[in-house]
Amino acid sequence: MPSLPDMNTPDVAELARGAAAASRATEVPTPDAGQEAFFEALLRIGDSTLILGHRVSEWCGHSPALEEDIALANVALDLIGQTQMWLGLAGEVEGKGRSADDLAYLRDAWDFRNLLIVERPNGDFGHTLMRQFLFDAYHLELLKALAGSSDPRVAEIAVKAAKEVAYHLERSSDLVIRLGDGTDESHRRMQAALEALWPYTGEMFLSDEKDAEAAAAGRIADPASLRPAWERTVRDVLGAATLTIPEGAFAHKGGKRGVHTEHLGYILADMQFLQRAYPGATW
Amino acid sequence: MYAQLVSTDGLKKPEEMTPEERAFQERIDRGEKIEPKEWMPEGYRKTLIRQIGQHAHSEIVGQLPEGNWITRAPTLERKAILLAKVQDEAGHGLYLYCAAETLGVSRDELMELLHKGKMKYSSIFNYPTLTWADMGAVGWLVDGAAIMNQVPLQRTSFGPYSRAMIRICKEESFHQRQGYAIMMKMASGTPAQKAMAQDALNRLWYPSLMMFGPSDKDSVHSAQSMAWKIKMNTNDELRQKFVDQTVPQAEYLGLTVPDPNLKWNEEKGGYDFSEPDWSEFFDVIAGNGPCNKDRLGARVKAWDDGAWFREGLVAHAEKAAARKAPVAAE
């Protein structure tokens, strides 16, 4: 093993000071900092629909009933269509000529801004439905708020998507209720799914400075403002499903900053394979 | 085809028929449609159940080879198109199971027969999809071959089957075009893409020819099915038609059909071509194709893993009904 130079505390502190000074020196103020927060906010929406659409599409051909196979494919198709709109707009706002496909297929995990809940593995069908329900309830509130965005492009996409997502929520709520209040086994599975996914719901409502900036411009809803309506829906549906809401308030987070679970890398390895293996080819 | 090797007993001559059977045959000869509640010979019902059931199974097992590439589709648009296409196959399965149900067999019974290996699905779905070009070649060749058979079946004698075919054919012709569009993109793309397209054609050409079933001279007895208008053309007729249609399409793509004996025959007005290796076909039918175990295994797993889900829904429906029902008088 090659020997490494000694590294002790004063050295590290010195290096850090040097790096900080260098970064201050090269920092160029962005021409429109608001655009950057807007771009970031659009990625947070579009990446979540992209990754959830991908996960849901994994079921195609493997669902427990033909009707479910068809319905889930519809949900995935809606989410992919919404992704094309959100990431298309993100590319436009960024202004570097990147298309929705460039953003989906040519970024690595640390540049993805989706919520962690959508990259969680599908698990059993109940787990998939519970993830869908918890997300749909948030997604619909988000889109209802975005329909009033100060940016007409955002409002237009939100209005269109909200119609689709209202149906997603209707369907996932209905199935969560039926399975929660079905057999002992279906109840047990749905409760287990709820407990596994609950710690991933808090991230939906955390606001950081980028959210605040986009919200201040009236372009994007403040995530925290969506919580009360989401809680009402979730309480009503889970109550009807005879399921018990977990008590813990702990929230896993990081997705919105690009710090993901181990699962996202594998999703991207699948999803981006052809674009990475044959750079520049058109399909 | 999607229903291969569906055999019937020998063809009955008019003098061997009962008066009911004769009247039934006359209706078919006049081009009338037979509807589920009308009288039909037991053999007609049985043959149709086997044929429609096999066709339905082919649709849902047929989701798997293309489903294999949904998560790896190269653009968002391609992913949406492929997903919509595979979803259509599930929809076709649904129409066909419903058509079979009108003959007195439930979807669950048919599923069970599939899972136990007592009913077949088309041999083609036991071949793997190895590259993205296979998504093009499956749409172009496999859906193309399916259309060859299904277009005439729109005129089949059993009403529900005929109506299902009319809907299915509309979607299949869109599927074939999307497959060909992928092939055009690949064949005019980079050298690697073109090589991928040629490789897909090389692997899928003969299995596609096998879809029509063995040559008429070696085929199981199909005269009765033809008389009943359950089968509309012979295997060889359809195969010839498919080759004649497909070869110019391959030429347009600049791809080579992997058959050194392929040659236009002016006299017959069609191509001469090599027969597929029928021993391979019978191996695949017997369960020894490259993917038989995986395909059937995936179907059985989906069904078994979903049992709790289906039972949960039934239990909820019963509880809900009990809550609504008035309390019985003591």
Side-chain angles (χ1 to χ4, degrees), chain A residues 30-89:
Chain A
T30 42
D32 180 354
Q35 290 297 101
E36 197 192 318
F38 189 25
F39 171 66
E40 185 79 13
L42 290 166
L43 288 185
R44 289 173 178 187
I45 306 168
D47 286 346
S48 286
T49 56
L50 171 65
I51 300 301
L52 185 60
H54 182 98
R55 276 294 191 218
V56 174
S57 79
E58 291 173 7
W59 276 102
C60 189
H62 303 275
S63 305
L66 261 181
E67 289 83 350
E68 293 307 315
D69 218 282
I70 293 168
L72 273 191
N74 263 342
V75 172
L77 279 168
D78 288 343
L79 292 169
I80 295 165
Q82 292 168 20
T83 302
Q84 288 175 297
M85 295 189 283
W86 289 126
L87 293 186
L89 179 55

Side-chain angles (χ1 to χ4, degrees), chain B residues 8-28:
Chain B
T8 48
D9 297 332
L11 177 63
K12 273 195 180 174
K13 297 192 184 75
E15 59 271 25
E16 297 165 349
M17 292 180 188
T18 65
E20 267 176 323
E21 286 171 342
R22 208 170 306 134
F24 180 81
Q25 186 62 52
E26 283 164 9
R27 289 188 62 197
I28 288 179

Side-chain angles (χ1 to χ4, degrees), chain A residues 117 120 127 130-131 133-134 190-205 227 230-235 238 244-252:
Chain A
I117 191 170
R120 299 297 304 162
H127 200 95
M130 183 58 79
R131 182 186 61 199
F133 164 68
L134 294 169
M190 296 312 282
Q191 185 66 42
L194 178 60
E195 277 160 28
L197 290 163
W198 190 253
Y200 292 92
T201 56
E203 190 186 20
M204 297 167 180
F205 311 107
R227 183 155 211 154
W230 178 83
E231 278 180 347
R232 266 195 306 279
T233 307
V234 166
R235 211 179 307 119
L238 295 180
T244 310
I245 294 179
E247 280 176 7
F250 176 77
H252 288 289

Side-chain angles (χ1 to χ4, degrees), chain B residues 93-306:
Chain B
L94 201 52
Y95 307 153
L96 289 162
Y97 286 119
C98 290
E101 281 183 330
T102 68
L103 292 161
V105 61
S106 72
R107 200 202 303 181
D108 287 5
E109 286 172 275
L110 288 172
M111 290 276 187
E112 199 180 322
L113 290 167
L114 170 69
H115 297 158
K116 287 187 172 156
K118 290 183 177 165
M119 275 183 97
K120 304 273 184 217
Y121 52 87
S122 178
S123 55
I124 190 72
F125 302 119
N126 291 313
Y127 289 86
T129 54
L130 301 178
T131 71
W132 175 252
D134 288 14
M135 296 304 97
V138 167
W140 172 39
L141 300 173
V142 175
D143 293 327
I147 291 169
M148 257 331 143
N149 186 54
Q150 291 171 5
V151 164
L153 280 176
Q154 294 178 101
R155 292 181 285 108
T156 190
S157 62
F158 187 56
Y161 193 24
S162 155
R163 290 188 288 274
M165 278 303 146
I166 291 168
R167 288 186 71 170
I168 289 173
C169 281
K170 281 186 194 149
E171 294 179 351
E172 289 292 356
S173 77
F174 161 73
H175 294 174
Q176 195 197 10
R177 270 179 273 168
Q178 73 86 29
Y180 197 70
I182 292 176
M183 290 309 273
M184 289 205 296
K185 204 82 181 167
M186 302 290 281
S188 62
T190 65
Q193 284 176 303
K194 184 160 185 182
M196 232 186 266
Q198 181 64 54
D199 172 67
L201 175 58
N202 293 350
R203 280 181 290 106
L204 287 164
W205 174 255
Y206 286 107
S208 298
L209 296 187
M210 290 177 200
M211 287 176 68
F212 299 96
S215 176
D216 298 332
K217 59 184 192 300
D218 311 315
S219 186
V220 288
H221 204 100
S222 60
Q224 182 63 72
S225 283
M226 303 272 281
W228 278 335
K229 294 188 186 166
I230 291 174
K231 190 178 167 82
M232 309 293 285
N233 302 84
T234 70
N235 297 348
D236 286 335
E237 278 168 14
L238 291 171
R239 189 168 16 248
Q240 181 70 52
K241 233 176 135 183
F242 174 73
V243 172
D244 292 345
Q245 176 190 284
T246 308
V247 170
Q249 294 170 347
E251 284 168 357
Y252 179 78
L253 293 172
L255 300 178
T256 309
V257 172
D259 179 359
N261 300 318
L262 187 78
K263 195 166 168 269
W264 179 255
N265 179 332
E266 193 61 53
E267 204 178 315
K268 77 171 181 186
Y271 286 91
D272 291 331
F273 58 93
S274 303
E275 289 277 311
D277 174 358
W278 290 110
S279 66
E280 178 182 314
F281 172 76
F282 286 107
D283 278 342
V284 173
I285 291 285
N288 295 316
C291 299
N292 294 57
K293 301 259 180 325
D294 292 342
R295 298 289 187 243
L296 194 56
R299 287 307 320 162
V300 170
K301 184 176 189 306
W303 187 253
D304 289 351
D305 288 356

